[in-house]
Amino acid sequence: MPDAVATRRRGRVYVTKSVAPYLFLLPFMALFIAFLIAPLCYAFGLSLFKTTMVAGTQFVGAANYLKVFTDPSFWDGVVLLFKFGLMQIPIMLGLALLYALILDSGRVYGRNFFRIAFFIPYAVPSVIAALLWGYLYGPSFGPFGQLAEFFHLPKPQFLLDGTILGSIANIAVWEFMGYNLIIYFAALQAIPQDLEEASSVDGATGLQYALRIKLPLIMPTVIVTIIFSIIGTLQLFSEPYLMRNLAPGIINSHYTPNFYAYTLAFTNQQYNYSAAVSFVLGGVVAVVSYVFMLLANRRAA
């Protein structure tokens, strides 16, 4: 084939091997630029301006970002999300790993049924999940409250200041535990069966094989799921947004950083400052993820 980029023979166009990969990537790159890069550039441009009724739109440079760094409403939401992550991530990933090890042991009947049953909550949209659990948490109309009233017991209060964060964490565990279980199960299935046979010959029990062989082998997968969970935790929005009517005195306009940015943009019309809040939140996500990866790599080394 000639060195030209493309040649035409009998009505057909032939492309060289060096150009073909870029042509296959072109549709993805076009969508990537149109729906991710371009909106990010537009939002970053917005964050460099400030709009007021008197002076109109003015270029302020990094003033919006400096304001975010000293904004207690933003950092209160970040601290809340760290508490949420410390509560939710270990439970979610711990249960996912435990159930994956049980299913991979081969001692469970109906393994495919349990895999699908655990994964179904992930297929439920987060909006539907928040509405469903909001109904269950309701002290007056929820089934838990009605059962407590039937047995003349005090009604459980899931939406108070001291319990609502755990209630939201429970929704997240219910939604994403099955997703992580499938990831762990796939990683466990990739472990060669020869290792189990060799460990049984050496006298290792099933628990010892799981803890000393299986877990170290899938630890890179566990680290990836932890990073994804950290990113998802710091982007929490749907559950507090949909449950704010059930706890209006607790879930305020800056309950989470994403909720704060949404309120600034679509309630207060502060689009410029909202864009700055979003970019600072993205920086927090990147820093926390990088620090965790650095610590994980140092420990592995």
Side-chain angles (χ1 to χ4, degrees):
M1 183 172 289
D3 295 333
V5 173
T7 58
R8 182 180 295 274
R9 293 182 179 177
R10 297 180 181 179
R12 296 182 179 181
V13 177
Y14 294 88
V15 180
T16 60
K17 293 182 179 180
S18 59
V19 177
Y22 298 100
L23 293 180
F24 284 111
L25 286 174
L26 186 60
F28 165 77
M29 292 303 300
L31 295 175
F32 182 77
I33 293 173
F35 293 101
L36 183 65
I37 301 300
L40 283 176
C41 293
Y42 177 73
F44 180 73
L46 281 179
S47 67
L48 302 178
F49 290 85
K50 181 178 180 180
T51 302
T52 60
M53 295 182 63
V54 177
T57 302
Q58 294 180 334
F59 179 78
V60 294
N64 288 326
Y65 291 94
L66 296 176
K67 182 180 178 181
V68 175
F69 286 124
T70 58
D71 189 347
S73 297
F74 173 78
W75 293 109
D76 287 346
V78 173
V79 172
L80 181 77
L81 289 184
F82 277 111
K83 295 178 182 178
F84 176 80
L86 291 174
M87 181 188 307
Q88 177 255 342
I89 293 177
I91 296 175
M92 176 184 67
L93 297 184
L95 289 176
L97 186 57
L98 174 63
Y99 293 146
L101 288 171
I102 293 174
L103 293 178
D104 184 66
S105 66
R107 301 178 181 178
V108 178
Y109 293 102
R111 185 168 61 177
N112 293 333
F113 167 78
F114 286 107
R115 286 165 55 190
I116 296 174
F118 282 126
F119 186 76
I120 283 177
Y122 177 73
V124 177
S126 59
V127 174
I128 304 300
L131 293 175
L132 172 64
W133 281 98
Y135 165 73
L136 295 176
Y137 289 150
S140 300
F141 50 81
F144 297 124
Q146 293 179 2
L147 284 174
E149 185 178 2
F150 178 79
F151 290 106
H152 303 286
L153 298 174
K155 294 183 178 181
Q157 301 295 329
F158 298 105
L159 304 175
L160 296 180
D161 190 17
T163 58
I164 191 168
L165 193 62
S167 300
I168 296 176
N170 176 66
I171 300 175
V173 171
W174 182 80
E175 285 185 275
F176 297 102
M177 189 272 291
Y179 168 78
N180 291 285
L181 183 150
I182 295 300
I183 294 177
Y184 293 154
F185 183 78
L188 290 170
Q189 289 288 291
I191 298 177
Q193 294 293 328
D194 297 342
L195 295 178
E196 183 176 5
E197 297 174 0
S199 65
S200 63
V201 170
D202 292 337
T205 63
L207 180 61
Q208 291 174 333
Y209 174 64
L211 295 179
R212 298 182 180 181
I213 297 179
K214 285 184 175 181
L215 283 182
L217 289 176
I218 68 169
M219 192 53 61
T221 304
V222 174
I223 292 175
V224 171
T225 58
I226 294 176
I227 294 174
F228 287 166
S229 300
I230 292 174
I231 295 173
T233 296
L234 293 174
Q235 294 178 344
L236 182 67
F237 172 76
S238 298
E239 290 80 3
Y241 175 75
L242 293 169
M243 297 180 65
R244 71 191 190 282
N245 292 329
L246 298 175
I250 301 173
I251 300 179
N252 49 38
S253 60
H254 56 272
Y255 192 73
T256 67
N258 262 344
F259 197 178
Y260 187 39
Y262 173 86
T263 303
L264 289 170
F266 297 101
T267 302
N268 302 334
Q269 283 75 48
Q270 298 182 29
Y271 302 106
N272 309 103
Y273 188 54
S274 174
V277 168
S278 301
F279 273 97
V280 174
L281 176 61
V284 172
V285 172
V287 170
V288 173
S289 301
Y290 176 76
V291 170
F292 176 80
M293 289 181 60
L294 187 64
L295 295 175
N297 290 335
R298 284 185 178 181
R299 185 174 180 179

